[in-house]
Amino acid sequence: GIPAEPLFRSRDAMIYPNVNTYFMFLPFPIKAKYMVLIFFILDLALGFHGGEGDTIAHFAHVGGLITGFLIILLWRLTHRSN
């Protein structure tokens, strides 16, 4: 069946940045932190230079990534265990 959750989420890369992930057409693993960076750059580039008929809201993905990053950063700063 179809998994209930996506196979890769950006928040997983913030929590587990060194976990190896696999991209569909690449036969080698990529660390999660680099996968997020690749998707960020790709969405940013396609947001500015997306072709006609592109129905993906690339800047919404970029905004979600930045918002998630800030939330996790804020959480880490306020929940430090000394």
Side-chain angles (χ1 to χ4, degrees):
I2 299 172
E5 295 188 29
L7 298 176
F8 180 78
R9 297 174 298 224
S10 296
R11 73 176 172 125
D12 293 337
M14 283 294 298
I15 298 169
Y16 308 106
N18 293 315
V19 170
N20 286 328
T21 59
Y22 288 88
F23 192 60
M24 187 180 297
F25 300 109
L26 298 177
F28 51 86
I30 300 174
K31 294 200 181 296
K33 59 187 171 187
Y34 301 127
M35 182 74 79
V36 169
L37 185 61
I38 290 168
F39 283 134
F40 173 74
I41 292 169
L42 183 64
D43 265 332
L44 198 58
L46 289 174
F48 285 113
H49 302 291
E52 188 173 325
D54 184 6
T55 59
I56 298 172
H58 296 286
F59 289 120
H61 289 132
V62 170
L65 187 138
I66 292 169
T67 302
F69 174 77
L70 292 174
I71 289 171
I72 290 175
L73 185 65
L74 180 66
W75 183 81
R76 284 184 178 177
L77 291 174
T78 58
H79 290 85
R80 285 191 170 170
S81 57
N82 292 330

